[in-house]
Amino acid sequence: MTRRPRINLGGACAVVLHRPHAAVEGLTRQLAAIGLNVEHAWPDLPPSATGADFLFFDVDHGFDEQFPWKPGEAPMPLVALIGSEAPGRIEWGLSQRADAQLVKPVGNAGVYAALLIARRAFDERRRLEREIDCLRERVSERQVIVRAVVALAAAGIGEEQAYAQLRALAMSWQVTMELAAHRVIELKDRTIKEASDERPYRA
């Protein structure tokens, strides 16, 4: 079992996007006791909030325009502050893809756990997004190789010979197969364009 590094919260910055209310006074006290620097905002986020380590936001009265990013693209872990169980409010809160949640009024416990859960969930989501981007790039590059093999095979050789030729070109050019494939396609497109430009015009 791989041991994960401990999350250090001391000195982190948390923004609480909530109107002044007794329901979040406990949150402020706990955050300060844990060692976080706390900044309050309502209804707009200050520009400095984009550099915060955590953002707590009010689900009951929040709205999309409060955030300078699209839902699910927050640059920090989000913790939803939920007081109402109205379906519409819960649905809106879910659309923001919060990494953890706290039920209002926030008492004397739960904030530390919410911070750890939010940090871990956020980091894991970012890791998965990077993996997905990497896989998409690999699939795209494979498609480029297939296109290059088809282009080489159009000269009358089989696909296996075309693949071998592409590999030989990559070795000769001292580049990766993917980059060699891009060059082959560019050369083919250029040849087609030049042939089209040289074709005599007929009225």
Side-chain angles (χ1 to χ4, degrees), residues 124-198:
E124 183 66 13
R125 179 157 50 86
R126 282 294 179 91
R127 184 187 67 80
L128 290 174
E129 288 173 353
R130 289 193 297 268
E131 285 188 6
I132 290 172
D133 289 341
C134 181
L135 289 172
R136 285 175 175 166
E137 184 177 351
R138 288 172 60 184
V139 170
S140 177
E141 295 298 337
R142 292 283 178 87
Q143 292 174 342
V144 170
I145 290 176
V146 170
R147 288 179 58 197
V149 168
V150 171
L152 292 171
I157 60 177
E159 290 186 359
E160 290 186 8
Q161 289 178 290
Y163 184 83
Q165 185 177 350
L166 177 61
R167 184 168 52 190
L169 287 171
M171 293 176 64
S172 174
W173 293 334
Q174 296 183 343
V175 296
T176 63
M177 287 279 286
E178 292 80 7
L179 186 53
H182 278 288
R183 289 186 181 180
V184 167
I185 292 172
E186 289 173 1
L187 287 171
K188 178 189 176 184
D189 292 343
R190 189 184 309 161
T191 301
I192 293 174
K193 184 179 184 303
E194 289 174 355
S196 177
D197 292 341
E198 293 175 0

Side-chain angles (χ1 to χ4, degrees), residues 28-42:
T28 302
R29 288 195 302 270
Q30 285 196 61
L31 289 172
I34 294 169
L36 278 75
N37 300 312
V38 186
E39 182 178 355
H40 292 269
W42 187 264

Side-chain angles (χ1 to χ4, degrees), residues 54-180:
F54 296 92
L55 173 62
F56 293 78
F57 69 97
D58 183 19
V59 171
D60 300 337
H61 299 91
F63 49 94
D64 291 340
E65 289 73 19
Q66 287 181 299
F67 307 108
W69 53 74
K70 296 179 181 178
E73 297 182 3
M76 77 287 286
L78 300 182
V79 181
L81 300 172
I82 304 174
S84 170
E85 293 188 352
R89 288 284 83 197
I90 298 296
E91 189 66 30
W92 179 81
L94 290 172
S95 73
Q96 301 305 314
R97 296 183 62 182
D99 301 290
Q101 67 179 44
L102 283 170
V103 177
K104 296 186 293 183
V106 180
N108 294 322
V111 174
Y112 183 68
L115 288 167
L116 295 183
I117 292 170
R119 180 79 259 175
R120 186 62 53 77
F122 177 82
D123 291 344
E124 183 66 13
R125 179 157 50 86
R126 282 294 179 91
R127 184 187 67 80
L128 290 174
E129 288 173 353
R130 289 193 297 268
E131 285 188 6
I132 290 172
D133 289 341
C134 181
L135 289 172
R136 285 175 175 166
E137 184 177 351
R138 288 172 60 184
V139 170
S140 177
E141 295 298 337
R142 292 283 178 87
Q143 292 174 342
V144 170
I145 290 176
V146 170
R147 288 179 58 197
V149 168
V150 171
L152 292 171
I157 60 177
E159 290 186 359
E160 290 186 8
Q161 289 178 290
Y163 184 83
Q165 185 177 350
L166 177 61
R167 184 168 52 190
L169 287 171
M171 293 176 64
S172 174
W173 293 334
Q174 296 183 343
V175 296
T176 63
M177 287 279 286
E178 292 80 7
L179 186 53

